[in-house]
Amino acid sequence: MQVQRHTYYRLIHHGIKSLLVDRLGHFTEIEYHQYLNVMTGKSSCFAMSDEELQITVDNLRNEGYLEDYKRQLQV
């Protein structure tokens, strides 16, 4: 089963939000885009290839920031 792009967008947004709250204690959209840019070289998921989306989700999952989505990711 292939995950659709909008699902990756949602997972990445949730994972980075969890990461920022964990590390900084808060979250803003500006910080989200800045961190995504540091992580991927792109400040928006829309600019990412399917492979980049998958790698980013895998990295967030491996760091433990997508635990509540674990069932969805077991594909």
Side-chain angles (χ1 to χ4, degrees):
M1 180 174 144
Q2 183 177 348
V3 177
Q4 296 182 1
R5 286 184 68 88
H6 71 275
T7 302
Y8 281 120
Y9 300 161
R10 188 174 71 247
L11 290 169
I12 291 168
H13 192 273
H14 176 79
I16 291 177
K17 179 179 180 179
S18 296
L19 180 150
L20 290 172
V21 167
D22 181 51
R23 294 185 184 176
L24 303 176
H26 64 279
F27 163 83
T28 67
E29 285 296 322
I30 292 170
E31 291 168 332
Y32 163 80
H33 289 287
Q34 289 172 338
Y35 192 81
L36 183 62
N37 192 41
V38 167
M39 234 178 130
T40 67
K42 298 182 179 166
S43 62
S44 170
C45 288
F46 297 116
M48 297 168 69
S49 69
D50 289 347
E51 182 180 2
E52 290 169 321
L53 291 169
Q54 184 175 5
I55 289 168
T56 304
V57 166
D58 289 344
N59 289 338
L60 289 165
R61 184 186 62 218
N62 291 338
E63 289 187 43
Y65 291 107
L66 291 173
E67 285 298 311
D68 44 347
Y69 283 88
K70 203 171 199 169
R71 256 194 323 195
Q72 280 185 300
L73 295 172
Q74 293 179 0
V75 235

